Amino acid sequence: MSNIPETGRTQRVQIRLIVIQVLVFSLLLTLGGRLWYLQIRNGEEYTTKAAGNGVQQVVQPAVRGSILDARGVPLADNETRLVVSASRTELLKMKDDGVGVLTRLAEVLDMKPDDVRDKVRLCDSKTPQPCWNGSPYQPIPVTDEATTQQALQIRERAEDFPGITAEPTAVRRYAAPGKAKTAQVLGYLSPVTDEEIQKALDGPSPYLRSDQVGRSGLERTYDKELRGKAGVTRYEVDNLGRVMGEAENDPAVPGSNLITSLDARVQAVAEYELAQAMKTVRQETDKITGRKYEADSGAVVVMESRTGRIVSMASQPDYDPNDWVGGISGKQYAKLTSKKSNYPLLNRGIQGQAPAGSVFKIVSASAAVRAGYPFDGRYDCSSSYSLGSQTFANFESKGHGPITLGDALKYSCNTVFYRLGHQEWSRDGGIKPRKDAKNWFYTTARDFGLGSETGIDLPNEVKGRIPDRDWKQNFWNANKDAWCKEGKKGGTYVQQIAYENCLEGNQLKAYDSINYSIGQGDVLVTPIQMATAYAAISNGGTLHAPTIGKAVVSPDGRTVQEIKPKAQGKLPIDAKTVKDLDKGLRAVVEPGGTAAWRFGGWPQDKIPMRAKTGTAQVYGKQTTSWFATYTDDYTIVMTISQGGTGSGASGPAVRKIYDALYGLDEQGNQDLKRALLPKPQTKLPKIQPDGSIHAPKIKPYDPQPVQPEGEQADPEFLVPQPAGQPGLTGSPATTGRRP
C-alpha cells in the first residue's frame, strides 16, 4: 500500500483538475477571441476573400451578326484570324510572373516586350490603355494578326510558352466590297466600359467585360441585335485561383444579321464620284478669292424617293473602320480626331451643317403660296434689290423681268424671293412682331422637317437651324455678354458686328429675312434633311423618316423582322403646289435652267429629271456647293464644302451616279445590262439555315470618261460685286451683318 496520505492524494487530484480546467478555459478563450477577430473585427475583409474562393467565370464571346447590303453582300462580317492569347493565372504561377515567357513571345511576334506585357496587365483607374478590361481568368488576346508561321512556332514549342495559346478566332471585318468603305454609316466597335457595365446591370441585356459594343453608325444603332449573347463557363476555384471543377456552362448564342437598304455597288460609285469631284475642284481657281478651291469635306445621299430608304450615303474625308479592329492605336486615334485631318469620324450626311443656298428655295416658294401669293403669279426678277444703303444682287446681276415662282426656281432668281421674304417680314410686324404673326417662311421650313432630326436610324444626327424669332432671342441671351465685351463702335468689321449684336441682336431684322429667303444668313441644314424634303416632292408630299435597316434576320435565317418605311408627315402644301414645284424643278435641267448644262442628252422623256442648284456663302470661307435632284425612283443630294457652285462642283458627280443607276451612257442611251439599280431593290436576300449567304460578287467601279465641256461656262459662276454690294449667283452672301 502507498505511504502517501489520503489527504495529499486528494489535493494533487484537485490541482490537476484545476490545471486542466484552466487549460480548457484558455483554449476556449483563445478560440473565442479568434472567432471574434475573424467574424467581427475583420469579418467584412474575410467575407470578401471567401467570396473569391467560390466561382469564377470564363466568357466565350458570341459571333457578331453580319451587316449586309440589300442583295446580301457583306458590308461588315467576321473573318477567322489566328489570335495569340495569354493566360494570366498561369503566368502568375511562375517565379518571374511570366516575364520570361512574354519576352520570348514578343520575339516570335515581332513586338516589343513592353507592349506585350502591357496587353496582359489588368485595367484600373490608374492604368492607361492598352490593358485588359476583362476577367483575369479569361485568356487575354495579345494579337489577332499572328501569321501561320508564328502560330506554329508557339504550338510546336509549347514548353517555352506555357499559358500561351494560338487559336483561330472570329474577328470583325469590314469587307469594303467594290472598294466601298461605307465607314461612317457602318461605324466601329470598341470594348465596353465600366460605366456602361454598371448602367446595364438592371437592363434586359447586361454587358460582360469581354463585350465589344458599337460606338457609331449601324454598329451602335443595332448593337443589341448584332451582339448576340456570350457563352459563360463557370468554374469552382479555391482562394489560390486553382480550378476545382466546372460548375455551369451556358453556350454562346450568335448575333442576328442586319439587312440594309444600301447597295454596295451604288455605294462604291457614290464614294468614288464624291472624292473625285473634290479632287477635281481643288484644281480650279475660285474667281472670288483667287485661290484654289479647298473642297475640304463633302457628302452625298442617295435615297429611294417613295420610301425614304437610303441606297447610299458617302462622306468625305473618310477612314477605314478596320483600324478599330483589335484595338486602335493612340497614333491612329489622334489622326482620326484631329483638326488637321478634318475629323473623318463625322458622318457629314447627317452631321454636316451649312447654309442651304438656293436649294432652300422650294421652302420659300411653298411659304409664299401658303401666305397667299399665287404660284403662277408674276414677280419682278430684277437685277438687284435694295434695302436702305444695302444692295442684294441677283444672279450675275441679271434680271428676267416679271416671272412665275416656277421660273424663279428655273433661273434661281434671288430677287423674287428677297421681295417676298421682306414683304412677309413687314406683314408680320417687322422688328415689333404682331401677336397673330404667321411667320410663314419660318413655320414652313419647320413643316418641311428642317431644324429638327429626320429620325434616321443612325446615332448623333444633328438638327440644323431655322433662325426664327425665338431662336434669335435665345441666341442673343446666350451670347450677349460676349458681344458686349468684344464689340466696339467704329472698330473692325467683327467688332462692329459684335457691337450691333450687343444692342439689338435679339431682333429679327429685315436683312435677316431677306437673306433667309434664299437659304443664307443663320440657316443651317444637313444633306439628309434636304434629301428628305426633295424626296417628299417626288413622291407627292409624304415625308419619311429615312431608314437604312431593312430587316433583322436570325442566324439560321428562319426569323425575319422587317423594318418598314415610316411616314412621319406631309408637306404643308396642297397637291397642286407639289405639282407646281415639280414642274419648276424639272425646268431647271431643261434649256435655260441652271443645271441644264449638266444634263445634256438626258432621256427626259423616259426618266424625268428634276433638280435645284445651290451655292451658299459662309463667312470667312469659300462657297459651299449644293446639288439636289430626284427622279421618280431616287433622290440624290450632294454638297461640297468650299467647293464652288452647285452644278459646277457637284453636278458631274451626281450625273454619273444616275448614269450608273440607270445604265446610261454620255448620250443618254440606256443599257439595262449595265444598270446597277434601275428600280429599287424590294426582295430580301436569303440566309441559309447554316448561316451562309449566297451573295453576288461586286466588281470594282469603272467610271466613264469625263464628257468634254469645251468653253461652256458655269451658269452659276459667281461674279464679284462692288464693295458694299455683296451678291451671289444661285445664292447670295450674307449682307455683311454677321459672321
Side-chain angles (χ1 to χ4, degrees):
M1 293 187 62
S2 172
N3 294 324
I4 301 174
E6 186 67 28
T7 302
R9 182 181 295 114
T10 302
Q11 289 177 343
R12 287 195 297 272
V13 170
Q14 289 176 344
I15 291 171
R16 288 171 184 167
L17 289 174
I18 291 172
V19 171
I20 291 172
Q21 288 175 350
V22 170
L23 290 174
V24 171
F25 180 77
S26 298
L27 289 173
L28 290 173
L29 184 63
T30 301
L31 180 61
R34 184 61 177 169
L35 288 173
W36 175 85
Y37 179 83
L38 293 175
Q39 296 184 10
I40 306 300
R41 182 181 178 186
N42 285 9
E44 186 176 347
E45 175 186 352
Y46 285 102
T47 299
T48 302
K49 289 184 177 180
N53 294 339
V55 177
Q56 293 292 344
Q57 63 184 23
V58 173
V59 178
Q60 297 83 39
V63 176
R64 194 172 179 87
S66 297
I67 300 177
L68 312 172
D69 85 344
R71 302 190 308 150
V73 177
L75 301 173
D77 58 5
N78 306 287
E79 65 179 351
T80 300
R81 293 188 187 177
L82 287 171
V83 177
V84 176
S85 303
S87 171
R88 193 170 187 275
T89 55
E90 291 296 323
L91 295 175
L92 292 179
K93 292 178 183 178
M94 303 174 191
K95 292 182 179 180
D96 63 350
D97 292 335
V99 172
V101 172
L102 295 178
T103 301
R104 290 192 294 273
L105 180 63
E107 183 178 353
V108 171
L109 297 177
D110 295 326
M111 296 175 66
K112 295 179 180 180
D114 287 345
D115 292 342
V116 174
R117 286 193 289 270
D118 288 348
K119 288 268 189 176
V120 299
R121 63 184 177 178
L122 299 181
C123 292
D124 57 31
S125 59
K126 298 180 180 179
T127 304
Q129 290 285 348
C131 58
W132 176 243
N133 197 38
S135 167
Y137 293 90
Q138 185 81 15
I140 302 174
V142 175
T143 180
D144 61 5
E145 297 180 347
T147 65
T148 303
Q149 185 63 32
Q150 290 170 337
L152 287 175
Q153 287 187 59
I154 294 169
R155 302 188 72 168
E156 289 175 355
R157 296 164 50 195
E159 68 280 1
D160 293 333
F161 300 102
I164 306 299
T165 58
E167 302 289 345
T169 305
V171 176
R172 201 59 165 170
R173 177 186 75 138
Y174 297 96
K179 298 184 179 180
K181 295 179 182 178
T182 326
Q184 294 91 346
V185 174
L186 294 175
Y188 56 89
L189 307 176
S190 69
V192 67
T193 65
D194 289 339
E195 183 180 358
E196 290 169 328
I197 292 174
Q198 290 299 318
K199 286 183 178 180
L201 285 178
D202 298 328
S205 181
Y207 290 125
L208 298 174
R209 284 191 175 274
S210 60
D211 280 340
Q212 295 272 319
V213 297
R215 291 300 177 201
S216 67
L218 297 173
E219 292 278 30
R220 176 174 169 180
T221 301
Y222 296 96
D223 180 71
K224 181 181 176 181
E225 293 82 359
L226 292 166
R227 184 160 29 96
K229 183 180 179 182
V232 179
T233 302
R234 296 172 178 83
Y235 293 97
E236 295 179 354
V237 297
D238 62 15
N239 60 353
L240 296 178
R242 293 174 297 197
V243 177
M244 310 300 293
E246 183 176 316
E248 191 177 358
N249 184 8
D250 295 330
V253 178
S256 297
N257 300 299
L258 174 67
I259 297 174
T260 70
S261 56
L262 300 170
D263 188 292
R265 302 166 302 173
V266 181
Q267 180 70 23
V269 175
E271 288 184 11
Y272 177 89
E273 292 298 349
L274 173 62
Q276 190 62 36
M278 294 170 64
K279 289 179 182 178
T280 299
V281 77
R282 289 188 192 120
Q283 306 304 313
E284 299 177 3
T285 300
D286 178 2
K287 295 179 176 62
I288 298 296
T289 65
R291 298 182 286 108
K292 299 290 185 182
Y293 284 112
E294 293 187 21
D296 54 351
S297 63
V300 59
V301 175
V302 182
M303 176 187 288
E304 293 180 8
S305 296
R306 295 183 181 91
T307 65
R309 284 179 168 146
I310 304 299
V311 178
S312 170
M313 180 181 288
S315 178
Q316 283 288 335
D318 65 358
Y319 66 97
D320 185 354
N322 288 298
D323 290 342
W324 293 86
V325 177
I328 191 168
S329 68
K331 183 178 180 181
Q332 288 173 316
Y333 183 78
K335 181 179 179 181
L336 292 178
T337 56
S338 70
K339 182 178 180 180
K340 183 178 180 181
S341 63
N342 203 13
Y343 312 108
L345 294 180
L346 289 177
N347 181 350
R348 269 126 176 133
I350 63 171
Q351 296 173 304
Q353 302 180 99
S358 288
V359 296
F360 188 81
K361 288 175 180 174
I362 58 169
V363 175
S364 295
S366 299
V369 172
R370 295 181 78 186
Y373 299 92
F375 194 91
D376 291 328
R378 293 287 169 173
Y379 307 94
D380 186 19
C381 179
S382 57
S383 61
S384 63
Y385 184 74
S386 296
L387 176 67
S389 61
Q390 293 179 299
T391 300
F392 299 81
N394 196 24
F395 166 62
E396 287 189 345
S397 299
K398 285 184 178 180
H400 293 273
I403 60 175
T404 65
L405 290 178
D407 286 336
L409 295 175
K410 176 179 180 178
Y411 301 122
S412 202
C413 181
N414 295 330
T415 52
V416 166
F417 297 100
Y418 291 154
R419 285 186 174 85
L420 292 172
H422 190 191
Q423 289 170 14
E424 281 304 296
W425 174 83
S426 298
R427 286 173 61 178
D428 288 333
I431 294 177
K432 298 180 180 180
R434 296 164 49 183
K435 292 183 179 180
D436 61 347
K438 300 297 184 180
N439 295 311
W440 286 120
F441 274 65
Y442 298 95
T443 57
T444 299
R446 295 195 179 279
D447 291 341
F448 263 72
L450 306 182
S452 60
E453 298 172 359
T454 64
I456 189 172
D457 51 347
L458 288 175
N460 302 320
E461 180 187 5
V462 299
K463 296 181 178 180
R465 183 168 68 204
I466 297 301
D468 54 16
R469 297 181 190 275
D470 289 340
W471 177 85
K472 288 280 289 187
Q473 183 65 46
N474 294 333
F475 192 69
W476 184 73
N477 291 339
N479 293 278
K480 178 185 177 183
D481 292 343
W483 281 332
C484 294
K485 183 178 180 180
E486 182 183 4
K488 180 180 179 182
K489 185 176 182 180
T492 65
Y493 172 76
V494 173
Q495 289 174 329
Q496 179 65 28
I497 296 301
Y499 173 78
E500 294 177 10
N501 286 336
C502 170
L503 297 178
E504 51 190 22
N506 60 331
Q507 296 178 354
L508 187 69
K509 299 294 188 67
Y511 61 76
D512 289 322
S513 289
I514 288 173
N515 273 319
Y516 172 85
S517 71
I518 46 94
Q520 288 285 169
D522 292 308
V523 176
L524 290 177
V525 299
T526 64
I528 192 64
Q529 289 174 332
M530 298 314 301
T532 302
Y534 275 83
I537 298 174
S538 173
N539 66 40
T542 301
L543 287 163
H544 286 96
T547 53
I548 300 177
K550 202 171 183 181
V552 175
V553 183
S554 62
D556 59 8
R558 294 180 180 178
T559 304
V560 179
Q561 180 183 350
E562 289 196 45
I563 303 169
K564 299 290 187 180
K566 182 181 178 181
Q568 58 181 9
K570 289 281 189 178
L571 292 178
I573 49 179
D574 58 24
K576 180 182 182 304
T577 304
V578 172
K579 290 182 179 179
D580 287 336
L581 289 174
D582 181 84
K583 183 179 178 181
L585 295 172
R586 178 168 178 157
V588 174
V589 302
E590 295 175 344
T594 57
W597 69 309
R598 289 307 188 192
F599 285 95
W602 182 264
Q604 192 75 326
D605 56 332
K606 296 180 180 179
I607 309 172
M609 172 66 65
R610 297 84 157 181
K612 187 69 195 78
T613 57
T615 308
Q617 197 166 59
V618 180
Y619 176 77
K621 293 185 177 182
Q622 295 169 313
T623 52
T624 293
S625 168
W626 282 95
F627 202 41
T629 62
Y630 65 84
T631 63
D632 294 341
D633 306 301
Y634 302 106
T635 297
I636 301 180
V637 172
M638 180 178 285
T639 182
I640 299 176
S641 171
Q642 302 199 85
T645 67
S647 61
S650 302
V654 171
R655 169 68 186 264
K656 286 192 175 185
I657 296 172
Y658 276 117
D659 287 345
L661 282 166
Y662 290 110
L664 300 172
D665 62 18
E666 297 172 8
Q667 288 72 42
N669 301 312
Q670 187 174 31
D671 181 359
L672 290 177
K673 293 181 180 179
R674 293 178 57 249
L676 298 183
L677 203 62
K679 293 292 180 182
Q681 180 78 21
T682 55
K683 294 183 179 179
L684 295 175
K686 180 70 174 178
I687 297 178
Q688 303 301 321
D690 63 357
S692 62
I693 305 166
H694 298 299
K697 293 183 179 180
I698 302 293
K699 294 181 180 180
Y701 171 54
D702 182 19
Q704 298 181 28
V706 178
Q707 183 177 3
E709 296 171 1
E711 298 299 322
Q712 190 174 18
D714 181 348
E716 287 192 294
F717 169 66
L718 303 182
V719 177
Q721 300 297 318
Q725 295 184 344
L728 296 183
T729 56
S731 301
T734 54
T735 59
R737 307 300 296 179
R738 180 174 295 108

